[in-house]
Amino acid sequence: MPTIDEKRVYTDNTGTETVYLATGLGVVGVSVSDDLIGEFGVVRRCHARDVATDGPLVAAATDEDVLLADRAAIGDEDAPVAKLEFTATGFGPATAVGFDDGALLAGDEDGGVARLDAAAVESVAATDATSESDATAETTAHESAWTALGSTDGVRAIDGGLVAAADGVYRAGDSGLTHAGLDDAHDVDSEPLVAAASGLYKLGNGWMDVLPGPVEAVAAAGSRAHAASGGDLYARGDGGDWNATDFPVDEAVVAVTHGADASYAVTADGTLGVRLPDDEWRYRVLGVGDVAAATV
């Protein structure tokens, strides 16, 4: 079984992308070339609760703060085991992060939601503190840049301007948070799709249920869409119906995401699966646990 220190380098990086996982060990980067899972490693040690990307930017919700890194600063955005230079943003302990039109949204266990606007995000990402005192000063300055949007009963996921919370779905706008319905939401995709205790919902004439609950995770990218329900992996077909897939791992799927062409599913015990269109699932055991989220 490979360990977290294993490195497998591809000489041809064409078609390679990096999948980031939020885990109890930290933020883990995994290089995937087409459907071959290769080099992987911890890019930041912490207790990561969520992770999101926007171009070269990587944001992580951790037990200590919301962290932000710019992959472009390391000279190779597809180097998965490079120790990214994460900067503390001053938000505080967080349970979820997500980008919305260049801005960064974050939420915490108590339900607080705040926004760091696009200009502030660029400023934080460009921070280069050379000492511990510099870092502390920068974090204090960043803290004042957050704009509180409102509160929920506990934030669980953010995507685009949508927030999944213990008391339902919220839209985050300039005037704050607006409750958009449902209850006990676990995950959200900006399509929009909502994974909730009572089922999977899409927005039509109101929220329409498309899969019975509980549903723990959901992600969509164009025609591709996947959801995790009861540990099983479901996919949306061409006709819009959701059906169980032939995911080859007998472990509970906890997170799903999509790359340029590939679809990804990851289990709580750290097995990553990848599937290209019209192909079978391939997987690899990464040897990390307490996986909470995934993004590309």
Side-chain angles (χ1 to χ4, degrees):
M1 177 183 296
T3 69
I4 195 64
D5 294 321
E6 177 182 353
K7 295 182 178 181
R8 178 176 165 195
V9 180
Y10 294 100
T11 56
D12 180 6
N13 286 329
T14 302
T16 299
E17 57 191 7
T18 301
V19 181
Y20 289 97
L21 308 179
T23 80
L25 185 63
V27 179
V28 174
V30 187
S31 178
V32 182
S33 180
D34 293 326
D35 61 352
L36 298 177
I37 301 170
E39 183 183 8
F40 60 92
V42 179
V43 299
R44 173 65 180 237
R45 288 192 177 272
C46 58
H47 185 184
R49 307 285 295 275
D50 195 14
V51 64
T53 54
D54 184 26
L57 300 179
V58 182
T62 80
D63 281 357
E64 296 182 359
D65 202 348
V66 171
L67 307 178
L68 185 65
D70 185 355
R71 287 179 283 174
I74 64 174
D76 184 357
E77 295 179 22
D78 292 317
V81 296
K83 294 297 189 291
L84 296 181
E85 294 297 327
F86 281 92
T87 299
T89 66
F91 176 86
T95 53
V97 288
F99 289 95
D100 180 27
D101 196 24
L104 178 62
L105 299 179
D108 60 31
E109 198 166 32
D110 293 331
V113 180
R115 176 194 285 119
L116 196 65
D117 67 29
V121 168
E122 291 183 6
S123 176
V124 173
T127 298
D128 183 19
T130 57
S131 69
E132 184 175 346
S133 60
D134 288 342
T136 300
E138 290 288 353
T139 300
T140 301
H142 299 329
E143 181 179 358
S144 64
W146 285 95
T147 299
L149 298 179
S151 61
T152 74
D153 278 353
V155 180
R156 295 168 173 171
I158 298 173
D159 190 51
L162 294 178
V163 178
D167 56 341
V169 182
Y170 288 80
R171 294 186 183 277
D174 293 338
S175 59
L177 296 180
T178 302
H179 194 270
L182 301 177
D183 191 24
D184 202 0
H186 295 159
D187 197 8
V188 66
D189 182 272
S190 60
E191 183 178 294
L193 295 166
V194 178
S198 55
L200 179 64
Y201 296 85
K202 69 176 183 179
L203 187 62
N205 185 16
W207 290 109
M208 305 168 60
D209 60 308
V210 293
L211 186 68
V215 181
E216 295 84 25
V218 65
S223 61
R224 292 173 290 155
H226 291 83
S229 176
D232 294 327
L233 181 64
Y234 288 78
R236 183 174 62 191
D238 294 337
D241 294 331
W242 290 78
N243 299 292
T245 70
D246 57 350
F247 193 65
V249 180
D250 189 20
E251 298 174 5
V253 175
V254 294
V256 289
T257 190
H258 300 92
D261 297 306
S263 299
Y264 299 95
V266 60
T267 71
D269 293 330
T271 297
L272 178 66
V274 55
R275 182 181 182 272
L276 292 175
D278 304 319
D279 206 346
E280 297 181 349
W281 285 95
R282 299 177 64 122
Y283 67 93
R284 187 175 184 187
V285 179
L286 304 180
V288 295
D290 195 18
V291 177
T295 189
V296 175

